[in-house]
Each structure stands twice: as structure tokens, then as C-alpha cells.
């Protein structure tokens, strides 16, 4: 880490040498560590705090082909006021063509609008299309852009192509924050997850995100652990802090709290805010609200006591 | 103030009902011991848990006689029948796991997370494993003739697990047992006695005698004991070896260790850090195979130490019954004094001492996780077993030097290698003089895997197929095959 990080991307060869020089990840050990942290027992006041923190970190998401303006507006209303005295969520996440609707719906609330651009979810299009997709989303009012990397290029070893795409999309983002989706389920190895994390950070990502939610496995605990280690080490090396967003498959309060424990014991306090840690989810919010009410009243209400949107 | 403080999550102690006093377990009955009583205390609070009997040599004699009598019945049972009892014991242990885990943490001071997730599953697994062997002894290659009465003396660091390591193979092979648990941790052994009754084990097959060193000495020296098994300090192991020398008793010893945990520059650093933490801070470092000597390649020393210190700052030290505790209490005042003394020697000899900021409870026996850097092979803390949460960090430059330093110890129980290079793992494992060599992991136990030491770490193997050898009359089987007269 002593060589200047600016020189790392000087050529495909230097980039490759750097990424392959990162410490390896032992799969068994990483799985074990994540499993151990998953057994932390979070109760009472700590649980209440964790639930509210988790709600404030949710990127409430709808990414369906059947999405409509009505559906997005309803979701945005819930994002701003999830129910009772629960805090508002961090952001809503929609497709680019619905960004304007979402931006209008959350205006003035402090809830951010995120958009999946760059030929989401496959990422299989030209750089030109990806940059245009990004520019459209930003022009429509997106505060945050979630881009997918070209997994094909990554797996074939063409790290430079991935790097340059991220740089170009970052440039197209302007003021908007860039979240880079690694689609870790397709990267196959934990070594690749670490390399892709560093690659994205070197290219200027503001956030690294696990998954599109369209591929299984999505956000597993060990993968989030490795990404948290990466942002921690990256900040040690460069002074620049990058956020982490596990997305896909996080459905229960228990899952959300396990993620917070990972953050707490891996990257630490500095990441325990919506500014630096997000949970990409659609169905998680209601479970958080239900557990929140259970803590407050001692009883579970039925699912009909929590709104559908 | 941290953003995310975990609220205490104490495990309920309602599941255990500890009586004010306990006697001995002889011939299937709880009986009073003849010696004076002593207290077993909770090391996390210094509160007395119960009065325990001391078995005198007369009591031990009664226990051995009961075992001798039961040997006739037990050894005559077909293996499949013995297996049924062992399977039953294993299942009862699983059913009562929570109760046993809580009790173990109360008496020993180890975190409930470890007694619940490590000790108890392994205890049950050992009984299941050896239950499986009981009717298959012919295929193990050591014959099928049991030795007779086994006198077993176990330590306080894994009270119930060490009991399982001793009793499960002994019974599977057809021996009967007189076992003495450590004086600071007798409770789970007494609970096990109750489990033997619950399982309808014939009286006398398992006998539990409590007391301190003298009781143990009486067990070892008893003329009608055919096999002695001991786990504990090298010092006591020497005394036992002397006692047994010249008799025809079979002996296995599992003694101290000063294991090297060797980290190469190409290791998976984050996992290596976890392995180092697990290697030395697991069970407060009260582990004979603990990785108490960290050998780190000089090229990554700074980076690794920085990561290790950062990781240590997140270790949660305190109430063993809190489900989030990582490091619990030191087992006894004596042990705490020994750890303190050796740590002071470490400092006075010039090693650099470091501990993370952590608040220790006011009552009870506590010692913070501690690292010594700048340690050389000649330092006392690099030679002597501390048996506590104290890590000595040494460095090396080449694989050959790592092997030399790792082997340069009177002990040889375990070692760890951390590298992404498979060929180096094999090369190192071949050269390290240690009974267990872990690669890219540490402190992993399995009933199918034999465990034991080189040099002052003892002799004989426990666990696995080889664990049967210690409880079978191999000479008789060889004679039967015509190999020996």
C-alpha cells in the first residue's frame, strides 16, 4: 500500500498486479467469523436502538418490470412516514424512468432518491448507453446512482474495462453519489469480492453494494463482512471513507441486526449511520416495524396492522 | 460513547438447581466422602456454589473396588449393548445441554457462548463417536480385550469435555472408570454421575471421586487400577509417570504446551487475525494447545499487529453468562496469580506489554487480553506455559527459521500455519514436531481426530481410532495373533 494508489490504474498490468496482491480471503474462516457474529444476542434497549437505526438505513426498493407511478408514489409516502413514530428511511430506490415521480413524492422530506442505472440488472450494454442511462437518472433528480459492474469483463480478467466504466459513470453522476453493485453472487469467490471492492473504490465509488437482488445468493453475511473489511482497509490506506450496502435477501429484523453487528465489530462506529451503511430491501421494513411495536407493547400485532406499500 | 452498545443478555441460571453440598459417586450411589469438605466457587463472582467432599484413600479404594466388580459385568456385555448405553448418555447430554452449559460456565468462568456452542456439542459428539466404535472394536486393530479399571484425572479448563474424552473411549472398550475432576470444577462431573443413573448404567461402571491433588494421587497409585489417564500440568504429569513407572499400568499423559502459531506474509490476514485471537483468547487461554507463541513473518509484522490490536479492542470481556461475552473469568485466584507473575516477568525481561482498554468487573478473577511484542526465544514468556490470555509475539524471516523456532520448545502439542500456499502447509506440517498441526485454522477439535503431544506435552493419543489403543490390551491381542508371547 506504499506505492501511490494513483499509479495503480496506470495500466491493465499494474491494476491486475495490485488487485492480485491484496491479502487472500479464506472462505472457511470468513464464513465462521460471520456465523459467530450472527450469534450476538441483541436485546431490549440495544434492540430498540438497532431497529430504529436499521429503519433509517433502509433503501426502500421497488425494481419490477410492472412498476408504475402509482406504486412508486405509494412507496415514497411510506418511506417518509413508515408508521407510528418510526424514523424515515434513508432512500427510495427505483428504475430511472420513475426517478422524477419519486423525487416529486419525497421532496423536502430528506429521503434520498436512488436509481439503478447502467443497464440494470445485467449491465450488458455499451458504455455509451450506461452513461446516458446514468445522466437521465441524474437529470430526473436522482441523488444516488446504483450502477452494476460488467461481471463478464471482471471474470475474464479485464479489470481495466470495469475500472474505466466506473470512472465514466462516476463522471456522469456529477453531484449524485455512486453506488457500485458488484453482484457478488456471480463473482463466485471471496477473493473476487475483495478485488472487486477495491477496484470499485479505486475507481471512485462512494458506496459498494453487494447485489442487484436479481441473482441468488445475494447479500450473504460473509460477503458483507469482506466488503466491510475492504472499506476499513481502504480508508486506512487512503483516508477516504466508502459506504457499504448489502442488498437482496435481507427480509427479517434478525437479518438486519446481524448486519449491524457486522458493521459494529468490523468497520466500527464511523459506518453506523445511513450516510455510510444502507440496507437494500423491500420487504424488510414491515418486519422492522412489527418488531418495533412488539418491543414497545410486548405483543405482536397481525400483519394487517402494517401497511402494504 | 459508542453508537451501538449491546445491552446485557444474561443466560438464565434457573435451569440449574445446585444443592448446598455434594458427596462422591460410588457404585451408582451418591455417598459422603470421609475427608474434609471444600467449596467450589464461581470465579466470576467469588461466590461459593457448593460444598464438595474430599475422597480419602479409603474412599478411592471403595470406588476402585466398585469399578473392579462392575468390570466383570460391563466387559462381558456385547459391544452393541455397551453402545446402547453410550448412545443413551449422548442423547441425555444433548437434552440437558443448556443446563450443563450454564453449570459449566458458573463453575469454570468460561463464556456461555463457548460452553454452549463448543464444549457441549463436542461432549455429546465424543459419546456418539465412541458409542459407534463399541461394537466395531475388532476392526480397529488393537484387539477387543479391555484393560480393567481406568483411573482418570482431569483438569479444570474443559471439565466436561475432558471427562468425555476420558470416559467415552474407556467405556466403549469395556473398561470401568474412577474419575477425579479438578477441585475447582467438580460440578459437571457430578451432574454426569446423575446422567449415568438416568441412563441406567450398571452401578460401578462410572465412579466419580472429588478432591484435590491427594485424591488424584490415590487414584493413580491404587494397585488395582490398570490404566491411568491424566490431563494437566507437566509438573504433575512427571509425578504420575514416576508413580506408575515399574508397574504394569498403562499410562497416557496430556500435558502442557507452548504452541507456535505461524503467520506467513501471504496469509489471508483477516482470517489469520481471527485465528490468532481464537488460538490464544479462546477459553481465556486456558487451553493446553493454545497458540501462545505467535511467529509472524517480519515483512508483515507491523500490518498484522495493527490488525490484531484493532481486533482485540472489540473483544468483550466480562460476565461469563452474558451471551455476548468473548472472554470470561480466570478459573481461580491461584491461576490469576500465576498469570500475573509471568506477565510481570515478561515486562521485567524487556518485552513490551499491551492490552486493549477494557473494564474488568470488580469481583472475581480477571485478566485482560494481553499481547507481548518484542519477544525473543530466550524470554521466559516464550518458554514457560502461562495458561492464560497472554500472547507472545516473535518474528521470523524464512520458512526454515519458522520451523526451527516453532520446534525450539520443550513442548510439542500443537501448531498453526497460516499461508495461502498449499505446498508450504504440507512442507511445514511434515517438519513441525507437534501432535496437531492446524492449517489456516486453530483450536478445532473433533472426536474422530486423535490428539496428543510430543516431548513434555505427554504421550499417548486421545480421540479418533488411536484413542481406542489406550484402553485396549494390545499385548493380549498381539499374543492372540501369535505376534508376542
Amino acid at each position: 500500500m506504499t506505492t501511490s494508489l494513483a499509479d495503480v490504474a496506470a495500466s491493465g498490468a499494474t491494476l491486475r498486479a495490485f488487485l492480485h496482491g491484496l491479502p487472500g480471503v479464506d472462505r472457511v474462516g470468513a464464513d465462521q467469523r460471520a456465523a459467530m457474529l450472527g450469534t450476538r444476542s441483541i436485546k431490549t434497549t440495544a434492540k430498540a436502538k438497532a431497529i430504529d437505526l436499521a429503519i433509517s438505513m433502509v433503501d426502500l426498493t421497488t425494481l419490477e418490470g410492472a412498476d408504475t407511478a402509482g406504486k412508486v408514489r405509494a412507496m415514497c409516502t411510506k418511506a417518509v412516514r413508515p408508521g407510528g413514530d418510526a424514523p424515515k428511511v434513508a432512500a427510495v430506490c427505483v428504475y430511472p424512468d420513475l426517478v422524477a415521480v419519486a423525487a416529486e413524492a419525497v421532496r423536502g422530506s430528506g429521503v434520498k432518491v436512488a436509481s439503478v442505472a447502467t443497464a440494470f440488472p445485467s449491465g450488458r450494454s455499451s458504455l455509451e448507453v450506461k452513461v446516458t442511462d446514468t445522466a437521465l437518472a441524474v437529470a430526473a433528480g436522482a441523488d444516488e446512482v446504483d450502477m452494476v459492474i460488467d461481471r463478464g469483463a471482471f471474470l475474464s480478467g479485464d479489470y481495466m474495462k470495469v475500472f474505466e466504466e466506473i470512472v465514466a459513470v462516476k463522471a456522469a453522476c456529477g453531484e449524485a453519489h455512486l453506488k457500485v453493485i458488484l453482484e457478488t453472487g456471480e463473482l463466485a469467490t471471496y477473493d473476487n469480492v475483495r478485488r472487486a471492492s477495491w477496484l470499485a473504490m479505486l475507481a471512485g465509488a462512494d458506496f459498494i453494494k453487494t447485489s442487484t437482488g436479481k441473482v441468488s445468493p445475494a447479500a450473504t453475511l460473509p460477503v458483507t463482512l469482506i466488503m466491510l473489511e475492504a472499506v476499513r482497509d481502504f480508508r486506512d490506506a487512503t483516508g477516504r471513507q466508502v459506504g457499504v450496502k448489502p442488498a437482496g435477501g435481507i427480509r427479517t429484523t434478525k437479518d438486519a441486526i446481524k448486519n449491524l453487528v457486522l458493521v459494529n465489530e468490523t468497520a466500527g462506529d464511523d459506518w453506523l449511520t445511513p450516510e455510510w451503511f444502507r440496507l437494500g430491501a423491500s420487504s424488510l421494513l414491515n418486519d422492522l416495524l412489527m418488531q418495533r411495536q412488539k418491543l414497545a407493547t410486548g405483543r405482536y400485532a397481525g400483519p394487517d396492522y402494517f401497511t402494504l406499500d | 460513547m459508542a453508537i451501538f452498545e449491546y445491552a446485557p443478555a444474561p443466560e438464565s441460571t434457573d435451569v440449574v438447581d445446585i444443592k448446598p453440598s455434594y458427596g462422591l459417586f460410588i457404585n451408582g450411589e451418591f455417598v459422603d466422602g470421609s475427608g474434609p469438605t471444600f467449596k467450589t466457587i464461581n470465579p466470576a463472582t467469588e461466590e461459593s456454589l457448593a460444598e464438595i467432599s474430599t475422597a480419602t484413600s479409603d474412599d478411592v479404594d471403595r470406588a476402585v473396588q466398585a469399578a473392579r466388580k462392575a468390570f466383570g459385568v460391563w466387559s462381558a456385555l456385547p459391544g452393541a449393548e455397551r453402545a446402547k448405553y453410550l448412545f443413551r448418555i449422548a442423547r441425555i447430554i444433548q437434552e440437558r445441554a443448556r443446563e450443563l452449559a450454564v453449570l459449566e460456565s458458573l463453575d469454570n468462568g468460561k463464556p456461555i457462548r463457548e460452553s454452549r456452542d463448543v464444549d457441549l456439542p463436542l461432549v455429546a459428539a465424543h459419546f456418539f463417536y465412541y458409542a459407534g466404535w463399541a461394537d466395531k472394536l475388532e476392526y480397529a486393530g488393537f484387539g477387543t480385550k479391555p484393560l480393567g479399571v481406568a483411573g482418570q484425572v482431569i483438569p479444570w479448563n474443559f471439565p466436561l469435555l475432558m471427562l468425555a474424552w476420558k470416559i467415552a473411549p474407556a467405556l466403549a472398550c469395556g473398561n470401568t472408570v474412577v474419575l477425579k475432576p479438578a477441585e475447582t470444577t467438580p460440578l459437571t462431573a457430578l451432574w454426569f454421575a446423575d446422567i449415568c443413573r438416568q441412563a441406567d448404567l450398571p452401578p460401578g461402571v462410572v465412579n466419580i471421586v472429588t478432591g484435590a491433588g491427594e485424591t488424584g494421587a490415590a487414584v493413580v497409585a491404587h494397585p488395582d487400577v490398570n490404566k491411568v489417564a491424566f490431563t494437566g500440568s507437566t509438573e504433575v504429569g512427571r509425578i504420575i509417570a514416576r508413580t506408575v513407572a515399574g508397574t504394569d499400568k498403562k499410562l497416557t499423559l496430556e500435558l502442557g504446551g507452548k504452541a507456535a502459531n505461524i503467520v506467513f506474509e501471504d496469509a489471508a490476514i483477516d482470517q489469520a487475525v481471527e485465528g490468532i485471537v481464537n488460538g490464544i483468547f479462546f477459553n481465556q487461554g486456558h487451553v493446553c494447545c493454545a497458540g501462545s507463541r505467535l511467529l509472524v513473518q517480519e515483512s508483515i509484522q507491523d500490518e498484522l499487529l495493527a490488525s490484531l490490536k484493532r481486533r482485540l479492542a472489540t473483544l468483550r470481556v466480562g460476565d461469563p453468562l452474558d451471551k455476548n461475552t468473548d472472554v470470561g473469568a480466570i478459573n481461580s485466584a491461584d491461576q490469576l496469580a500465576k498469570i500475573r507473575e509471568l506477565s510481570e516477568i515478561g515486562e521485567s525481561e524487556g518485552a513490551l506489554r499491551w492490552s486493549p482498554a477494557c473494564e474488568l468487573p470488580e469481583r472475581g478473577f480477571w485478566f485482560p487480553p494481553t499481547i507481548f511484542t518484542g519477544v525473543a526465544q530466550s524470554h521466559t514468556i516464550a518458554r514457560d506455559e502461562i495458561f492464560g490470555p497472554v500472547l507472545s509475539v516473535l518474528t521470523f524471516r524464512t520458512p526454515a527459521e519458522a520451523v526451527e523456532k516453532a520446534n525450539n520448545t520443550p513442548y510439542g502439542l500443537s501448531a498453526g500455519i497460516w499461508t495461502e500456499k498449499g505446498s508450504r502447509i504440507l512442507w511445514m506440517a511434515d517438519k513441525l514436531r507437534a501432535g496437531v498441526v492446524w492449517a489456516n485454522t486453530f483450536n478445532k477439535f473433533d472426536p474422530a481426530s486423535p490428539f496428543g503431544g510430543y516431548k513434555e506435552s505427554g504421550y499417548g493419543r486421545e480421540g479418533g481410532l488411536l484413542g481406542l489403543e489406550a484402553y485396549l490390551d494390545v499385548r493380549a491381542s498381539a499374543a492372540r495373533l501369535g505376534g508376542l508371547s
Side-chain angles (χ1 to χ4, degrees), chain A residues 25-60:
Chain A
V25 185
D26 185 84
R27 189 170 201 110
V28 176
D31 285 348
Q32 225 160 36
R33 174 70 177 147
M36 185 268 129
L37 287 174
T39 68
R40 288 289 192 222
S41 183
I42 308 298
K43 305 276 185 216
T44 59
T45 50
K47 188 171 182 184
K49 218 167 175 178
I51 289 174
D52 280 4
L53 190 56
I55 292 173
S56 75
M57 289 171 164
V58 165
D59 278 6
L60 201 55

Side-chain angles (χ1 to χ4, degrees), chain B residues 146-420:
Chain B
L147 293 165
V149 176
Q152 307 176 322
V153 179
I154 58 171
W156 46 260
N157 57 344
F158 293 92
L160 196 55
L161 183 59
M162 291 300 106
L163 175 147
W165 280 27
K166 297 281 183 292
I167 290 184
L171 298 195
C173 295
N175 304 276
T176 55
V177 164
V178 176
L179 177 130
K180 186 198 88 72
E183 66 268 32
T184 60
T185 57
L187 288 180
T188 40
L190 294 166
W191 250 249
F192 180 78
D194 184 51
I195 288 170
C196 290
R197 294 220 292 196
Q198 201 182 335
D200 281 329
L201 195 69
V205 173
V206 169
N207 303 276
I208 311 282
V209 291
T210 47
E214 280 185 21
T215 308
V219 171
V220 170
H222 196 288
D224 210 19
V225 162
N226 305 95
K227 147 85 190 173
V228 172
F230 172 74
T231 297
S233 70
T234 295
E235 190 189 338
V236 176
R238 279 201 193 97
I239 298 170
I240 291 174
R242 273 189 216 113
T243 308
V244 171
T247 71
D248 66 351
K249 287 177 189 174
K250 236 181 148 176
L251 176 64
T252 46
L253 296 171
E254 300 286 359
L255 310 175
K258 193 71 192 175
N261 210 354
I262 306 158
V263 182
F264 286 95
E265 60 187 359
D266 67 345
I269 297 293
D270 289 302
Q271 284 72 51
V273 166
E274 284 310 313
I276 295 162
V277 168
N278 182 39
I280 185 63
F281 301 115
F282 174 66
N283 201 29
Q284 297 76 247
H286 300 330
V287 186
C288 45
C289 51
S292 54
R293 279 187 302 150
L294 174 64
L295 292 178
V296 50
Q297 196 154 14
E298 277 184 21
S299 52
I300 54 157
Q301 184 190 5
D302 294 344
E303 187 189 346
L304 186 79
L305 278 175
S307 298
L308 186 60
K309 287 179 176 178
R310 180 176 57 211
R311 173 68 179 86
L312 253 58
T314 67
L315 273 183
R316 308 170 66 83
V317 186
D319 181 6
L321 287 173
D322 188 324
K323 291 173 210 163
N324 293 324
T325 291
D326 296 318
V327 180
I330 302 302
N331 182 253
S332 65
D334 285 354
Q335 188 57 30
L336 179 60
K338 190 188 155 201
I339 297 168
R340 282 184 175 150
E341 188 197 334
L342 280 161
S343 298
E344 273 152 30
I345 291 173
E347 263 181 316
S348 70
E349 290 181 2
L352 198 63
R353 180 177 182 162
W354 184 89
S355 287
C358 65
E359 259 179 61
L360 300 177
E362 278 177 19
R363 297 195 65 192
F365 313 129
W366 303 94
F367 196 86
T370 299
I371 300 180
F372 277 100
T373 50
V375 179
Q377 287 286 88
S378 53
H379 279 127
T380 305
I381 52 169
R383 314 293 300 170
D384 290 5
E385 187 183 34
I386 301 176
F387 221 64
V390 181
L391 178 69
S392 299
V393 183
L394 300 95
T395 59
F396 67 91
R397 296 159 300 176
T398 63
E401 188 183 354
V403 169
E404 272 185 357
K405 282 187 166 169
N407 286 341
N408 179 217
T409 167
Y411 295 109
L413 198 50
S414 67
I417 308 165
W418 297 83
T419 172
E420 289 283 276

Side-chain angles (χ1 to χ4, degrees), chain A residues 187-257:
Chain A
L187 297 185
T189 70
Y190 290 175
D191 286 331
N192 276 347
V193 172
R194 176 166 287 173
R195 286 177 195 139
S197 299
W198 275 83
L199 180 59
M201 292 187 291
L202 288 168
D206 298 300
F207 254 78
I208 49 176
K209 176 175 167 183
T210 60
S211 326
T212 58
K214 308 286 184 196
V215 168
S216 184
T220 65
L221 282 179
V223 156
T224 306
L225 174 76
I226 289 157
M227 289 166 63
L228 284 163
E229 287 168 356
V231 295
R232 178 197 69 196
D233 295 345
F234 185 77
R235 191 180 72 170
D236 283 351
T238 65
R240 191 163 79 80
Q241 187 163 345
V242 174
V244 176
K245 177 179 171 183
I250 303 168
R251 292 191 185 85
T252 65
T253 301
K254 219 172 219 176
D255 289 341
I257 292 179

